[in-house]
Amino acid sequence: MTPVAAALSYLTEHRDQHLSALYELLSIPSVSMDPAHRADMVRAAEWLATCLRHIGMHHTEIVADHGLPLVYSEWLGAEQAPTLLIYGHYDVQPADPVAEWHTPPFTPSLVGENLYARGASDDKGQVMAVIFALASWLQTSGRLPVNVKLIIEGEEEVSSTLLHRFVADQAERLRCDAVLLVDSMMLSPQQPLILYGTRGNCYLEVTVRGPKTDLHSGTFGGVVDNPFNVLVRLLAALQDGDTRRVRVPGFYEKVCIVDDEERAFINRLPVSDAVLQALTGVPALAGEEGFTPLERASIRPTFDIHGISGGFTGPGKKTVIPAQARAKLSMRLVPHQDPVEIGELVRNFLQQQAPSTVQVSVEVLSASWPVLVDYRHPTVQVASTAFAKAFGRPAAFSIGGGTLPIAATFQKHLQAPLVITGFGLPDDNLHAPNEKIFLPCLFGGSAMIIHYLAELADAYVLR
Amino acid sequence: MTPVAAALSYLTEHRDQHLSALYELLSIPSVSMDPAHRADMVRAAEWLATCLRHIGMHHTEIVADHGLPLVYSEWLGAEQAPTLLIYGHYDVQPADPVAEWHTPPFTPSLVGENLYARGASDDKGQVMAVIFALASWLQTSGRLPVNVKLIIEGEEEVSSTLLHRFVADQAERLRCDAVLLVDSMMLSPQQPLILYGTRGNCYLEVTVRGPKTDLHSGTFGGVVDNPFNVLVRLLAALQDGDTRRVRVPGFYEKVCIVDDEERAFINRLPVSDAVLQALTGVPALAGEEGFTPLERASIRPTFDIHGISGGFTGPGKKTVIPAQARAKLSMRLVPHQDPVEIGELVRNFLQQQAPSTVQVSVEVLSASWPVLVDYRHPTVQVASTAFAKAFGRPAAFSIGGGTLPIAATFQKHLQAPLVITGFGLPDDNLHAPNEKIFLPCLFGGSAMIIHYLAELADAYVLR
């Protein structure tokens, strides 16, 4: 039996044991944006560190340094072999609205081959797929084919502040030949996907302040501007209702023009409009005029409102003119839009539109750069080969619609090619109720990693 | 000492005792729209019934009949004298946002001459002002100058369902010569106000449904219409941002054209723009083009958004495309707009504007008619005289911006002139945090009622 075959066989034989471990991790509500879950963050990090020591990693430490704990682990025993940095995160989004979950979000529940839990797909399940692969190599060969540096952070959902600093400060220690980011998805259980770029994001909060206190709309309706009435006009002004284009001057100025060849390449992805419509359940797809849904989800920027607060939203009726109304919104950005500049453009636009009857403030909550990767690099291409061996089909390539804020930092400080991929699925309900992971993808993902470590060692020798 | 002087003197001497009674009533959180407070509603009604029996009303009963309890009380011992029906309500709005109260909403707190509590002004304080007046007459003269039928309902903030039925069913029993509605305000502590009309209201809930579940805006941004993006466009379309006019075709068709003489009369009210701006604290007043603030608050219809729900509004960032977004909104209506017809017009307009990429539903939560009263009727004019005796100045007359849904029902079934007045103030923070009543207005209101009962008896004899 080859070492790869031995590792794969170990993976299969220990499936139940691996699942039990994943259940334990998913049961810890490591919600990074909620201060009430600080102790759970520490518990999850310690659980991971214990696990990594147990499977035979050489050195594992928890880095805190004024942030939520980050788990760093190394196995550097492969002389003359390349070094792979692997990235994932153990923090999760809040579970709200909790009432819409069919099973408790922090009690892993297996229904058929789908495992339901907050973090099942984003990203605990994928992190554990990596650990299962490392364990399978270490427990069968006593070694890994390449050197591995593993980072599992706890702040992915809250801006990765600690990790950005850690990468910048420890660039020498983190030096590597490739970075594998495992926090993405496949197109289907049969079709793996590697992203050669991801969109950036500019997240804003807009506040409209009117009267000094909430007012009765009978007494003061018609006398003062209602902050909600103003807010909806401002938000509506941001996007053309017909073309769905953002109306902010300069917004599209730096957008990378993708040539017809690459557009055709993107549209070859085996994801039809009918599939997208069935996945989302909308009456009809919609988006920027002149582009296909696949293009609009990858090479074009977007504008989405995420929530609006103020006034009264309880049961029944309350006739209030609120003292203030506030909206959370964000724009997905593409190369080479500058997220900080976009924030300024939007702020200026909104403040120019604002009437003098209210005060409008615009706060940039985060600004993340888009990323572009050279998908022809061998370390990227052998990842596709590893997928072919694990799933029977090489990876498709695309640009990711979501944002991996840390990818730009890895690229900047480590100057190594990035492989952005993952083992989730488009219907995994990320950031939504009833998040799940499909177990054949999870264990196929472990097999892909097992192959990838071997392929990467070979590619390095061949060079 | 005249009977009136005796009653006034009793009122003054028992001020502390009266205040204690009011504190007790304000301490009961009788929030009619919250099912969690059902027991408090019963408690408040029983407290009032006990109080009315104690002061010497002939007959007092609690009417429940599938609704929240209504208190009905009679004193009918004045032969050959007219009968006055007095109306108030003991239910209150919810206290949210509770965090913005400086004192606990259901712990009455006296700061100088202002008494803070939910319901202090709307309407428990005013109801107790009436009861103090009745008590002062009954305890000093052993009788009232006119017959009194008193209705204190518990559903004013939730559509008065029971009372509408009660008035329709018991019209004969409720027969009277005038109806005094005590649920309004003065212009200032020195300037009483009688309303000769009130605006109606059409309260709607608009729901935009898009994807079958919340989606990640990275994966699906640009692929589907975000229900919030659509909702803000629909809401913005309802009102012209420049003229502040409602854009729904037919909306203004039945609006009563007020002649220049009456407009001049309305604008003579001693409420300057500077006063309105100071009261509300807005950077600048705003409203429908072509009308003064006083006109816009009385003889012109309005459009206000009260709350928008869906998506994520907690601390931090969440990049969600919500499955649905919902808005609560209402339009204040003026004679002779039909609230049911207006609801239909708005529904049709919104559904015509809605793109086929989402489902839009519009629910009418309530529809209340505007009211017009003949302010020259003697029962109305002697109310102004009673104000002059109690406050040193006769009442100003205006049309109320708020809605008293029950007024139209009284007018329809009892065919008696309405006197719509009250002892609150414009800065009482109705329906908002830190609601209060100014005690000189409250006790002046009791004095006004003491005078009014005598004046009404005289007016009846003179006729």
Side-chain angles (χ1 to χ4, degrees):
Chain A
M1 197 185 279
T2 65
V4 168
L8 290 171
S9 151
Y10 179 91
L11 177 70
T12 309
E13 282 157 19
H14 292 76
R15 180 188 157 104
D16 289 350
Q17 204 171 316
H18 288 146
L19 270 184
S20 301
L22 175 57
Y23 282 24
E24 284 183 28
L25 181 59
L26 290 173
S27 301
I28 306 173
S30 47
V31 180
S32 49
M33 71 171 65
D34 186 347
H37 287 292
R38 286 292 146 85
D40 296 315
M41 296 299 297
V42 172
R43 202 147 58 91
E46 282 172 353
W47 186 95
L48 281 164
T50 302
C51 175
L52 289 163
R53 287 175 190 126
H54 179 74
I55 67 166
M57 294 295 282
H58 283 159
H59 169 81
T60 300
E61 65 183 270
I62 292 177
V63 180
D65 188 21
H66 304 298
L68 294 171
L70 172 160
V71 181
Y72 178 67
S73 185
E74 290 175 341
W75 189 96
L76 303 178
E79 283 177 28
Q80 305 296 322
T83 298
L84 175 68
L85 180 76
I86 307 178
Y87 164 83
H89 65 92
Y90 71 85
D91 64 322
V92 298
Q93 284 271 324
D96 2 36
V98 175
E100 290 183 22
W101 285 76
H102 303 316
T103 58
F106 297 106
T107 303
S109 307
L110 193 61
V111 181
E113 293 268 58
N114 284 318
L115 179 62
Y116 289 86
R118 170 57 85 224
S121 181
D122 181 19
D123 184 42
K124 286 172 173 172
Q126 302 198 41
V127 161
M128 291 308 291
V130 170
I131 293 176
F132 300 159
L134 298 177
S136 299
W137 266 111
L138 290 166
Q139 297 299 312
T140 52
S141 294
R143 63 185 301 279
L144 302 176
V146 296
N147 300 297
V148 167
K149 298 174 178 176
L150 176 62
I151 292 174
I152 310 171
E153 70 157 326
E155 298 183 334
E156 199 273 341
E157 307 292 2
V158 290
S159 309
S160 304
T161 311
L162 171 59
L163 181 53
H164 286 290
R165 197 168 61 231
F166 183 70
V167 173
D169 292 351
Q170 308 279 321
E172 187 53 34
R173 185 181 183 193
L174 297 177
R175 201 158 53 163
C176 58
D177 299 286
V179 181
L180 177 70
L181 295 100
V182 184
D183 185 19
S184 179
M185 63 177 71
M186 305 172 62
L187 290 174
S188 72
Q190 293 78 40
Q191 182 56 66
L193 178 69
I194 291 174
L195 304 178
Y196 65 98
T198 63
R199 289 195 284 195
N201 194 24
C202 178
Y203 201 109
L204 303 165
E205 198 165 68
V206 181
T207 306
V208 177
R209 292 181 178 82
K212 61 187 174 189
T213 181
D214 287 4
L215 299 176
H216 188 296
S217 77
T219 316
F220 294 104
V223 175
V224 301
D225 256 340
N226 179 321
F228 272 128
N229 290 32
V230 175
L231 181 63
V232 299
R233 272 198 290 276
L234 290 176
L235 296 176
L238 283 171
Q239 187 180 36
D240 187 291
D242 293 324
T243 64
R244 305 292 201 285
R245 279 174 69 87
V246 173
R247 280 201 188 114
V248 178
F251 183 81
Y252 292 97
E253 195 179 309
K254 296 185 177 170
V255 167
C256 180
I257 305 298
V258 176
D259 63 27
D260 288 350
E261 189 180 326
E262 190 168 340
R263 283 176 74 169
F265 176 66
I266 287 166
N267 287 307
R268 268 203 300 276
L269 273 190
V271 181
S272 67
D273 290 6
V275 164
L276 287 170
Q277 199 172 338
L279 263 178
T280 58
V282 292
L285 301 178
E288 189 188 353
E289 197 174 76
F291 296 92
T292 67
L294 288 173
E295 290 166 356
R296 299 192 312 248
S298 59
I299 58 166
R300 298 300 298 174
T302 63
F303 158 60
D304 276 298
I305 302 168
H306 306 301
I308 299 179
S309 59
F312 178 75
T313 55
K317 303 168 297 165
K318 194 175 169 187
T319 52
V320 65
I321 297 176
Q324 64 172 47
R326 176 174 287 173
K328 288 175 188 278
L329 53 104
S330 75
M331 279 137 290
R332 298 284 166 177
L333 308 177
V334 298
H336 305 285
Q337 288 177 297
D338 173 341
V340 176
E341 184 190 0
I342 292 293
E344 278 308 302
L345 291 176
V346 174
R347 173 190 282 125
N348 293 342
F349 177 81
L350 289 173
Q351 281 176 341
Q352 277 161 20
Q353 303 272 325
S356 60
T357 54
V358 293
Q359 289 184 313
V360 174
S361 61
V362 180
E363 192 187 351
V364 177
L365 298 190
S366 71
S368 307
W369 284 85
V371 167
L372 252 191
V373 178
D374 180 1
Y375 69 90
R376 292 157 301 191
H377 194 284
T379 57
V380 181
Q381 288 299 323
V382 297
S384 180
T385 307
F387 268 119
K389 293 195 171 179
F391 286 89
R393 204 183 289 182
F397 286 85
S398 181
I399 293 173
T403 303
L404 287 176
I406 201 61
T409 295
F410 283 134
Q411 206 171 36
K412 177 178 173 192
H413 293 285
L414 307 184
Q415 278 118 36
L418 308 183
V419 179
I420 304 173
T421 191
F423 316 121
L425 286 175
D427 66 349
D428 276 353
N429 297 324
L430 304 191
H431 294 208
N434 304 308
E435 179 178 348
K436 56 93 178 159
I437 194 159
F438 186 52
L439 291 186
C441 290
L442 186 153
F443 287 109
S446 292
M448 179 271 174
I449 302 280
I450 288 172
H451 285 292
Y452 185 49
L453 300 184
E455 294 290 327
L456 201 61
D458 289 349
Y460 187 82
V461 169
L462 292 174
R463 275 199 300 177
Chain B
M1 198 185 281
T2 64
V4 167
L8 290 171
S9 154
Y10 180 92
L11 177 70
T12 309
E13 283 158 17
H14 292 77
R15 181 188 156 104
D16 289 350
Q17 203 172 316
H18 288 145
L19 269 184
S20 301
L22 175 58
Y23 282 24
E24 284 183 30
L25 182 59
L26 290 172
S27 301
I28 306 173
S30 46
V31 180
S32 49
M33 71 170 64
D34 187 347
H37 287 292
R38 286 292 147 84
D40 296 315
M41 296 300 297
V42 172
R43 202 147 58 88
E46 282 172 354
W47 187 94
L48 281 164
T50 302
C51 176
L52 289 163
R53 286 175 191 127
H54 179 74
I55 67 166
M57 294 294 283
H58 284 160
H59 169 79
T60 299
E61 64 183 270
I62 292 177
V63 180
D65 187 22
H66 305 298
L68 295 171
L70 173 159
V71 181
Y72 178 68
S73 185
E74 289 175 343
W75 189 94
L76 303 178
E79 283 177 28
Q80 304 297 322
T83 299
L84 175 67
L85 180 76
I86 306 180
Y87 164 83
H89 65 92
Y90 71 87
D91 63 322
V92 299
Q93 284 272 322
D96 2 35
V98 175
E100 291 181 22
W101 284 75
H102 304 315
T103 58
F106 297 105
T107 304
S109 306
L110 193 60
V111 181
E113 293 268 58
N114 283 317
L115 178 62
Y116 287 87
R118 170 57 86 224
S121 182
D122 181 19
D123 185 38
K124 286 173 174 174
Q126 304 198 42
V127 161
M128 290 309 291
V130 170
I131 293 177
F132 300 160
L134 299 177
S136 299
W137 266 110
L138 290 167
Q139 298 299 312
T140 51
S141 294
R143 63 186 301 280
L144 301 177
V146 296
N147 300 296
V148 167
K149 298 175 178 177
L150 176 62
I151 293 174
I152 310 171
E153 70 157 325
E155 299 183 335
E156 199 274 341
E157 308 293 2
V158 291
S159 309
S160 304
T161 312
L162 171 58
L163 181 53
H164 286 289
R165 198 168 61 232
F166 183 70
V167 173
D169 292 351
Q170 309 280 321
E172 186 54 35
R173 184 182 183 190
L174 298 177
R175 203 159 52 163
C176 58
D177 299 286
V179 181
L180 177 70
L181 295 100
V182 184
D183 185 20
S184 179
M185 63 178 71
M186 304 171 62
L187 289 173
S188 73
Q190 293 77 40
Q191 182 56 66
L193 179 68
I194 292 175
L195 304 178
Y196 65 98
T198 62
R199 289 196 284 195
N201 193 26
C202 177
Y203 201 110
L204 302 165
E205 199 165 68
V206 181
T207 306
V208 177
R209 293 181 177 81
K212 62 187 173 188
T213 180
D214 287 4
L215 299 176
H216 188 297
S217 76
T219 315
F220 293 104
V223 176
V224 301
D225 256 339
N226 179 322
F228 273 127
N229 291 31
V230 175
L231 181 64
V232 298
R233 272 198 290 277
L234 290 176
L235 295 176
L238 283 171
Q239 187 180 34
D240 187 291
D242 294 324
T243 64
R244 306 290 201 285
R245 280 173 69 85
V246 173
R247 279 202 189 113
V248 178
F251 183 81
Y252 292 96
E253 195 178 308
K254 296 185 176 170
V255 168
C256 180
I257 305 298
V258 176
D259 63 28
D260 288 350
E261 188 182 327
E262 190 168 340
R263 283 177 73 170
F265 177 65
I266 287 167
N267 287 307
R268 269 203 300 274
L269 272 191
V271 181
S272 69
D273 289 6
V275 164
L276 287 171
Q277 199 171 337
L279 263 178
T280 57
V282 293
L285 301 179
E288 189 188 354
E289 198 173 77
F291 295 91
T292 67
L294 287 174
E295 290 166 356
R296 298 192 312 248
S298 59
I299 58 166
R300 298 301 298 174
T302 63
F303 159 60
D304 277 298
I305 302 169
H306 306 302
I308 299 179
S309 59
F312 178 75
T313 55
K317 303 166 298 168
K318 195 174 169 188
T319 51
V320 65
I321 298 175
Q324 64 172 47
R326 175 174 288 173
K328 287 174 189 280
L329 54 105
S330 75
M331 278 138 292
R332 297 284 166 179
L333 307 178
V334 297
H336 305 284
Q337 287 179 297
D338 173 342
V340 176
E341 184 190 0
I342 292 293
E344 278 308 303
L345 291 175
V346 174
R347 173 190 282 128
N348 292 343
F349 177 80
L350 289 173
Q351 281 177 341
Q352 277 162 20
Q353 303 272 325
S356 60
T357 55
V358 294
Q359 288 184 313
V360 173
S361 61
V362 180
E363 192 187 351
V364 178
L365 299 191
S366 71
S368 307
W369 284 85
V371 167
L372 253 191
V373 178
D374 180 2
Y375 69 90
R376 291 158 301 190
H377 194 284
T379 56
V380 181
Q381 288 297 324
V382 297
S384 180
T385 308
F387 268 120
K389 294 195 172 180
F391 286 90
R393 203 182 291 183
F397 286 84
S398 180
I399 293 174
T403 303
L404 287 177
I406 201 62
T409 296
F410 283 133
Q411 207 171 35
K412 179 178 172 193
H413 293 285
L414 307 184
Q415 278 121 34
L418 308 183
V419 178
I420 305 173
T421 192
F423 316 121
L425 286 174
D427 66 349
D428 276 354
N429 298 322
L430 305 192
H431 294 208
N434 305 307
E435 180 178 348
K436 57 94 179 156
I437 194 160
F438 186 51
L439 291 187
C441 290
L442 186 152
F443 287 109
S446 292
M448 178 270 174
I449 302 278
I450 288 173
H451 284 293
Y452 185 49
L453 301 185
E455 295 289 329
L456 201 60
D458 288 350
Y460 187 83
V461 169
L462 292 174
R463 271 199 300 177

